[in-house]
Amino acid sequence: MIGGFVNRVAWIDLTTGAIDYKGVDESDARKYIGARGLGVKYVFDNGPDVEPFSPENLLCVMNGPLTGTDVNMSGRLAVITKSPLSGTIADSHMGGWTAAKLKWAGFDGLVFKGKAEKPVYAYVEDGQVTLLDASDLWGKGIHETLTILRERHGEKCDGMAIGQAGENLVRFSAWVNVDDRAAGRNGTGAVGGSKNLKAIIIKGDRANRPRPANKEADREARKRALAAIMAEENITSPRKGGLSLYGTNVLMNITESIGALPTRNSQTTSFGTENAELISGEYVRENILVDEPTCHACPVACKKEVEITEGPYKVRMESVEYEPAWSLGANCDNNNIASVAWIIDRCNDFGMDPIELGNVFSCYMEASQRGYTNGDGTLDWGDHASMAALVEKIALRQGVGDKLAEGTARAAVAFGDPSISMTVKGQAIPAYDPRGLKGMGIAYATSNRGACHLRAYTPAAELGVMPFGSLKVDPLEWKGKGELVKVFQDVHAVSDSLDLCKFSAFATGMDEYTQQFNAVTGLSYTVEELLLCGERIYNLERHYNNLAGFAEGSDYLPKRFTTEPSTMKGSEGHVCELDLMLDEYYTVRGWVNGVVPESKLRELEIV
């Protein structure tokens, strides 16, 4: 078998309790790498016609060939399924140590199908999976659930769970692990809830980590990649670079300064310098930071643990990331960082995506502003106390929370005005306004899992936080962004399948990825061959979506971004020229108005 794999995937039928252990098909591994790529292949082979909440839907928890090795930033796993939020193919990733422990416990992946008669959890150790009764855990939050299970099975266990939001099929519920790292987007937690799967607990020993096929090449490849990660000029530099010092929230002041910070449900592109500062990474570090933990094999330590010691939002939590700080902050006209931290922590316990939650709030706020809410009460801009009170109501589907639990797009329809939903394919946008960062416009529109910054992180080039030199581009220029997005999408499909943290791309690229992949696996791919795998994965996802009903014209943006010019400094007068970028993008992709033609499928050996 290819190096890096333990050649074992558990196929778990929750309906019958049967567990079948299978190897990884080598042809699939060569074509789809692992993690995201292999999970997408499994979900595709299962068929695109399944309903997300049906027992027939697959829930895949997958490692890549580099996961759990000594390769830097290799501590991630992918959760792949059909999304109940968007109806698209979905992959969502988490960091921490869970992924490494799963590999060390003897698995490349766990694939769940069916529905258990009563709540269960999966216990994973020494290449075996056992389904155990979770009836006593149903109704409990993630923090309590994982505490109980670690007391039951040992403190060295790692694991992930759903909270009450997943149990109640909140369409944007998440899996969260013992380090409060989440597979946050697309509602993967709700799929777990629909299957009565409460948690996955893993006991794995580092001594069982995969050894590279070529030790000398692995040593050299890791040395080269680490030198780039550590280099002082890079944002990843430990304790020196912005990502290490301030976490992902290093971007708040930067994005605000160029008029690309969506505010008040994207009615404007700026929160104001003083307001943005109060929810920024710099403010967090200077005022509430208490610890800086890290994930498996990562020297960057971008996680920022904070503590609020006074007022109504007392909490110690991890971590105030950029997107949640924006979604619950600027997006809702809220500059109270304590409330933001408290709400994120509640999301981590109930198991909800705070990006979607903040958009649900801002949609409700705009509906209130415009008088659409009728008997559903109101939510005023910046009312963080009411936001905090609504979190539990959404998780438990109480009152207006039941409507909001359906996600931003469905909530806007229920309020009577779909135009106040800042969503693509049913999933809400993250923290970048495409009138000020044009690349994010085409990235949102063409993302296979709905609006997303992680399918193609163009701000890396548009904001100049990536060592790509010639790829530094004007954020307000639309020309060339279609081609740029295609490249980023393919590269990120590779890193998600290896499975490496995307932040590695702030210092390294396809050269380093290919060297590390070859050293661990024993293969001899060229950069072009590995990148072709990324293109194949992206096209397979798109083909799945096409078959699931996302036909021509399914790539779009909310009209606010294409018809309402920004009035803020840095992007004033700009709209997002999506149609022009789509033409360019489809040309470089070889697609027909968003649909993968059979000739492209044959070219990529998908069919």
Side-chain angles (χ1 to χ4, degrees):
M1 187 59 195
I2 299 169
F5 290 89
V6 293
N7 197 26
R8 193 168 178 84
V9 176
W11 292 76
I12 303 154
D13 188 330
L14 292 167
T15 302
T16 65
I19 302 173
D20 190 11
Y21 300 100
K22 299 180 181 179
V24 175
D25 183 90
E26 185 166 332
S27 175
D28 286 344
R30 287 175 178 270
K31 291 171 67 175
Y32 298 103
I33 304 174
R36 172 180 167 186
L38 271 181
V40 167
K41 182 65 165 61
Y42 293 161
V43 171
F44 179 86
D45 288 346
N46 189 54
D49 297 328
V50 299
E51 292 298 319
F53 288 147
S54 72
E56 287 71 34
N57 193 16
L58 293 187
L59 181 71
C60 306
V61 180
M62 301 296 297
N63 280 328
L66 301 190
T67 303
T69 68
D70 291 335
V71 170
N72 286 287
M73 306 179 81
S74 61
R76 297 183 72 79
L77 61 75
V79 181
I80 308 98
T81 188
K82 186 176 186 180
S83 168
L85 182 68
S86 63
T88 65
I89 192 88
D91 69 288
S92 192
H93 300 246
M94 67 166 59
W97 296 80
T98 309
K101 293 289 183 68
L102 180 60
K103 181 69 73 70
W104 302 345
F107 285 98
D108 299 305
L110 312 172
V111 180
F112 297 92
K113 193 173 186 178
K115 179 178 181 178
E117 184 177 351
K118 60 183 180 181
V120 297
Y121 68 95
Y123 178 72
V124 183
E125 183 181 11
D126 289 337
Q128 297 293 313
V129 177
T130 306
L131 295 177
L132 299 171
D133 186 10
S135 298
D136 63 321
L137 304 172
W138 205 254
K140 297 185 185 299
I142 290 172
H143 295 153
E144 184 180 4
T145 294
L146 293 175
T147 296
I148 291 172
L149 289 175
R150 294 181 92 183
E151 290 172 352
R152 187 175 298 173
H153 295 287
E155 284 298 316
K156 291 185 178 181
C157 286
D158 207 294
M160 51 197 273
I162 62 169
Q164 297 93 327
E167 296 172 3
N168 291 311
L169 307 188
V170 174
R171 289 185 185 269
F172 51 94
S173 53
W175 286 91
V176 181
N177 69 14
V178 297
D179 298 307
D180 272 355
R181 299 290 89 192
R185 307 225 70 190
N186 278 114
T188 61
V191 176
S194 74
K195 296 181 177 301
N196 277 335
L197 179 63
K198 177 66 175 178
I200 301 168
I201 298 300
I202 306 162
K203 184 176 287 186
D205 190 331
R206 185 175 182 273
N208 297 327
R209 71 191 185 281
R211 300 307 197 269
N214 188 326
K215 292 183 180 179
E216 182 58 34
D218 176 66
R219 207 165 20 246
E220 289 303 311
R222 285 191 289 112
K223 180 179 178 181
R224 174 179 172 176
L226 182 61
I229 292 167
M230 300 287 287
E232 291 189 19
E233 65 269 21
N234 286 335
I235 195 172
T236 54
S237 181
R239 301 295 184 267
K240 296 177 182 178
L243 180 64
S244 184
L245 284 173
Y246 306 115
T248 59
N249 208 3
V250 66
L251 291 168
M252 189 69 70
N253 288 326
I254 297 172
T255 313
E256 163 65 30
S257 71
I258 65 169
L261 191 67
T263 300
R264 292 173 67 105
N265 203 33
S266 302
Q267 292 183 80
T268 71
T269 62
S270 170
F271 193 29
T273 302
E274 293 182 2
N275 285 326
E277 169 62 27
L278 291 173
I279 58 172
S280 70
E282 290 87 342
Y283 185 90
V284 166
R285 184 168 194 88
E286 292 168 9
N287 293 277
I288 56 176
L289 180 70
V290 291
D291 197 10
E292 300 176 86
T294 194
C295 302
H296 163 72
C298 181
V300 179
C302 73
K303 298 192 290 184
K304 304 301 163 192
E305 189 169 324
V306 308
E307 186 171 18
I308 309 297
T309 58
E310 298 179 348
Y313 302 117
K314 292 179 182 179
V315 68
R316 181 165 178 147
M317 57 79 66
E318 180 198 315
S319 119
V320 183
E321 306 286 356
Y322 170 57
E323 276 76 20
W326 160 79
S327 69
L328 300 163
N331 186 43
C332 294
D333 206 15
N334 172 29
N335 66 8
N336 185 298
I337 191 65
S339 69
V340 169
W342 190 90
I343 293 172
I344 294 172
D345 185 65
R346 301 311 296 146
C347 284
N348 290 342
D349 195 34
F350 284 122
M352 286 192 288
D353 171 19
I355 301 177
E356 189 75 32
L357 179 67
N359 276 278
V360 164
F361 285 153
S362 68
C363 177
Y364 187 20
M365 288 169 170
E366 185 168 351
S368 301
Q369 171 191 330
R370 300 186 183 281
Y372 295 156
T373 56
N374 296 320
D376 288 316
T378 58
L379 182 63
D380 295 333
W381 294 111
D383 184 357
H384 48 79
S386 295
M387 290 165 60
L390 269 173
V391 178
E392 182 174 10
K393 294 183 183 299
I394 293 171
L396 301 182
R397 286 186 172 269
Q398 297 173 344
V400 70
D402 186 47
K403 182 177 293 184
L404 302 179
E406 290 293 291
T408 308
R410 290 175 175 85
V413 171
F415 289 134
D417 186 358
S419 74
I420 63 172
S421 159
M422 299 302 108
T423 59
V424 178
K425 300 180 180 74
Q427 180 161 270
I429 67 162
Y432 311 85
D433 195 296
R435 290 165 289 194
L437 287 162
K438 302 291 178 74
M440 287 313 303
I442 181 68
Y444 291 164
T446 61
S447 166
N448 287 333
R449 70 171 188 170
C452 177
H453 59 298
L454 293 174
R455 303 302 87 178
Y457 192 69
T458 61
E462 293 175 306
L463 297 178
V465 295
M466 208 165 182
F468 275 5
S470 62
L471 275 186
K472 175 67 174 75
V473 295
D474 182 354
L476 297 177
E477 175 58 66
W478 71 263
K479 292 180 181 178
K481 295 297 172 66
E483 185 172 1
L484 179 68
V485 162
K486 190 264 187 190
V487 172
F488 271 99
Q489 287 171 342
D490 294 348
V491 170
H492 291 334
V494 170
S495 63
D496 282 345
S497 300
L498 289 173
D499 187 342
L500 292 179
C501 178
K502 278 199 175 69
F503 296 154
S504 63
F506 290 153
T508 62
M510 284 301 303
D511 285 342
E512 289 82 3
Y513 291 164
T514 305
Q515 290 175 356
Q516 293 175 105
F517 172 75
N518 285 339
V520 169
T521 62
L523 299 174
S524 54
Y525 279 39
T526 64
V527 168
E528 292 74 20
E529 287 171 334
L530 191 59
L531 191 57
L532 183 67
C533 291
E535 183 179 8
R536 181 180 296 117
I537 292 163
Y538 210 82
N539 276 265
L540 181 63
E541 292 172 345
R542 176 54 63 113
H543 185 43
Y544 179 97
N545 286 351
N546 292 157
L547 295 174
F550 291 86
E552 293 189 9
S554 296
D555 297 331
Y556 60 87
L557 286 176
K559 289 185 178 179
R560 181 161 289 170
F561 299 130
T562 59
T563 63
E564 298 178 19
S566 168
T567 59
M568 311 308 289
K569 182 181 178 181
S571 60
E572 187 173 6
H574 281 266
V575 295
C576 185
E577 298 91 342
L578 178 63
D579 289 344
L580 296 171
M581 289 189 287
L582 276 176
D583 288 343
E584 181 182 277
Y585 176 82
Y586 291 151
T587 297
V588 297
R589 271 280 179 219
W591 294 353
V592 180
N593 197 19
V595 175
V596 188
E598 188 172 348
S599 58
K600 174 60 71 170
L601 296 173
R602 288 197 300 269
E603 174 191 326
L604 293 171
E605 299 180 308
I606 291 173
V607 297

